[in-house]
Amino acid sequence: MLVKVFRKNKSFFKVWSLIFMIFSTLDVFAQNSDTTGIQELFMSDEILNIKLEADYQVVFSNKDDSTYFPAKLSLIESSNLQTVIDVGIRTRGNTRRLNEICLFSPLRVRFPLLETQSSPFDNQSAIKLVTHCKKAAVYEQNTIIEYLVYRVFNLLTDSSFRVRPAMINYVYQNKKKGHIQRFAFFIERDKHLVNRLNGMELTDVKIHPNRLNVKFGSLMDLFQYMIGNTDYSSYELHNIVLMADKQNKLPPIGIPYDFDWCGLVSAFYAKPNSMLNTTHVSERVYRGFKKPIEIINSNIELFNSKKSNIYQLFNDFELLKRSERKRIIKYLDEFYEIINDPKLVKREFVENARVLHN
């Protein structure tokens, strides 16, 4: 009898389908405050005080992404005690490393498991370290802002990469007075993210965007719009980790990372997408595919509920310069003006949304 009712009243069926989509994000990726599965390194937002000594001239001259070079990491605690760990480091990334845009490349740090016990790096192996690009202070500000962008997405969903800030004194071996201290941050490993969320990563697959989790996809696209980022693709797995439940039965989600090309950061090397006819990366372009307005509005409610927390992240971070803070708050104000104007919501996220047929 129920089937007949649904067949006769398609609109009734659509309403219940929509309600299901709005409230049915994957349970294994749902927001929670439980710290189970979180690596010790990412259980705190306290800035680590680190000295990292290596022959950086040799490290940066190497162009492959597989050779690790010896380095000595000293973790300096508040009591001035030092935990010294012999680690390996190598460069990583494509744009900044291979194109020689930056004098200081992003790094991957490899830890020996036996030497990390009783330290924040316990159970870590090889993790990403996001570094400054050049010596000037403005490049350090870029790194600080990108770190805070990760933290913003943490506020919106637990299905996000965790990060840990550090102030690192890079000591150049075989170089007189060769050292520089700059802000950096570590990023949670993909497999640790997967384990924490009790899911599984999908690699080397291309999934139609319309087959991803609708609610989370809308959240992620709105977040990318908020920070002014177009440098991502769920289909191409570009700056996205695709994750499903362990049974791979429910629609997967795309978890974003790598935000240095977004308008909120406005790094000097970031260029606007040539396909979008924009003149600067700060110009927002919605890259999401068409979704029901009810789902979009549901996520807008989430952004509004987290607004004060998001602003507080930037206002309270002492290492962020006042001029950058003022620019960022203005940029966020523009986003919140848009999402709280029904006409602009319809234009930006419905009429301007992309359409991809199955």
Side-chain angles (χ1 to χ4, degrees):
M1 181 67 181
L2 187 60
V3 174
K4 291 182 179 179
V5 171
F6 278 157
R7 286 176 177 173
K8 291 181 179 180
N9 194 339
K10 292 183 179 180
S11 61
F12 181 73
F13 176 77
K14 288 181 179 180
V15 169
W16 279 103
S17 296
L18 188 57
I19 293 174
F20 175 78
M21 285 190 293
I22 291 176
F23 294 102
S24 65
T25 52
L26 300 181
D27 289 340
V28 292
F29 304 139
Q31 297 182 34
N32 63 78
S33 57
D34 186 11
T35 58
T36 302
I38 301 176
Q39 299 291 307
E40 182 179 351
L41 178 62
F42 301 103
M43 292 184 69
S44 171
D45 298 320
E46 182 181 354
I47 298 177
L48 297 169
N49 188 7
I50 291 173
K51 180 173 72 173
L52 189 59
E53 185 176 357
D55 191 338
Y56 290 104
Q57 185 174 353
V58 173
V59 173
F60 294 145
S61 64
N62 185 67
K63 296 302 180 183
D64 71 66
D65 60 356
S66 60
T67 303
Y68 282 89
F69 297 91
K72 191 177 294 293
L73 184 149
S74 300
L75 177 63
I76 304 169
E77 301 179 43
S78 57
S79 58
N80 289 326
L81 295 176
Q82 291 191 23
T83 301
V84 181
I85 306 173
D86 291 318
V87 300
I89 63 172
R90 67 167 176 83
T91 58
R92 63 176 183 83
N94 294 318
T95 302
R96 288 175 55 177
R97 176 175 62 91
L98 298 180
N99 296 339
E100 299 182 346
I101 290 175
C102 296
L103 298 178
F104 204 101
S105 298
L107 297 173
R108 187 178 291 273
V109 183
R110 184 173 64 185
F111 293 88
L113 293 178
L114 295 179
E115 295 185 32
T116 59
Q117 296 177 357
S118 301
S119 81
F121 300 104
D122 190 24
N123 291 322
Q124 298 296 333
S125 51
I127 54 178
K128 295 177 181 178
L129 178 65
V130 179
T131 63
H132 62 287
C133 178
K134 294 183 179 181
K135 288 185 177 181
V138 64
Y139 304 111
E140 181 183 43
Q141 289 293 300
N142 292 160
T143 310
I144 291 171
I145 298 168
E146 186 180 5
Y147 161 74
L148 292 172
V149 169
Y150 276 93
R151 292 282 307 281
V152 168
F153 201 53
N154 293 157
L155 288 174
L156 295 169
T157 173
D158 201 45
S159 301
S160 54
F161 281 96
R162 293 181 178 269
V163 286
R164 179 67 182 272
M167 185 60 70
I168 302 183
N169 184 14
Y170 301 97
V171 178
Y172 287 70
Q173 294 175 350
N174 305 319
K175 189 176 180 181
K176 292 182 179 180
K177 297 182 180 179
H179 71 92
I180 183 172
Q181 188 175 53
R182 288 292 182 267
F183 180 89
F185 63 93
F186 295 96
I187 303 178
E188 182 180 28
R189 292 191 65 186
D190 294 8
K191 76 172 189 177
H192 291 162
L193 172 68
V194 169
N195 292 337
R196 173 166 61 84
L197 299 177
N198 194 31
M200 60 177 287
E201 184 178 358
L202 304 178
T203 59
D204 300 322
V205 296
K206 291 183 181 294
I207 296 181
H208 193 292
N210 287 345
R211 300 188 186 279
L212 298 179
N213 182 280
V214 178
K215 179 75 177 294
F216 192 90
S218 169
L219 171 66
M220 192 267 289
D221 289 327
L222 283 171
F223 167 73
Q224 301 279 28
Y225 182 84
M226 178 181 72
I227 65 173
N229 189 37
T230 61
D231 187 35
Y232 72 99
S233 171
S234 298
Y235 183 72
E236 297 293 343
L237 294 183
H238 177 58
N239 294 334
I240 292 286
V241 167
L242 204 60
M243 193 170 300
D245 60 292
K246 285 189 173 180
Q247 291 73 36
N248 198 16
K249 292 183 178 180
L250 298 174
I253 63 175
I255 302 178
Y257 64 93
D258 202 354
F259 307 114
D260 60 325
W261 279 56
C262 77
L264 200 69
V265 174
S266 288
F268 83 98
Y269 52 81
K271 298 179 180 179
N273 191 326
S274 60
M275 298 186 298
L276 302 179
N277 295 320
T278 53
T279 58
H280 194 270
V281 292
S282 62
E283 294 181 52
R284 288 188 173 95
V285 178
Y286 184 63
R287 300 294 289 158
F289 289 89
K290 191 175 291 292
K291 294 177 178 65
I293 187 64
E294 291 81 1
I295 289 180
I296 294 171
N297 286 333
S298 175
N299 279 318
I300 286 175
E301 289 181 10
L302 174 61
F303 278 93
N304 281 327
S305 70
K306 298 294 183 179
K307 180 180 179 180
S308 61
N309 302 96
I310 292 172
Y311 279 57
Q312 187 176 3
L313 270 179
F314 296 98
N315 283 324
D316 291 354
F317 204 76
E318 294 182 356
L319 295 177
L320 185 63
K321 287 187 175 182
R322 182 178 298 180
S323 58
E324 290 289 358
R325 185 179 295 117
K326 184 177 180 180
R327 177 184 66 84
I328 289 168
I329 296 303
K330 181 180 179 181
Y331 196 68
L332 292 175
D333 284 343
E334 293 171 354
F335 168 75
Y336 274 98
E337 287 178 8
I338 292 172
I339 66 170
N340 287 292
D341 185 326
K343 292 183 179 180
L344 293 179
V345 167
K346 182 179 179 181
R347 185 192 72 186
E348 292 295 302
F349 310 131
V350 179
E351 295 173 357
N352 291 344
R354 293 193 287 173
V355 178
L356 188 62
H357 300 290
N358 292 315

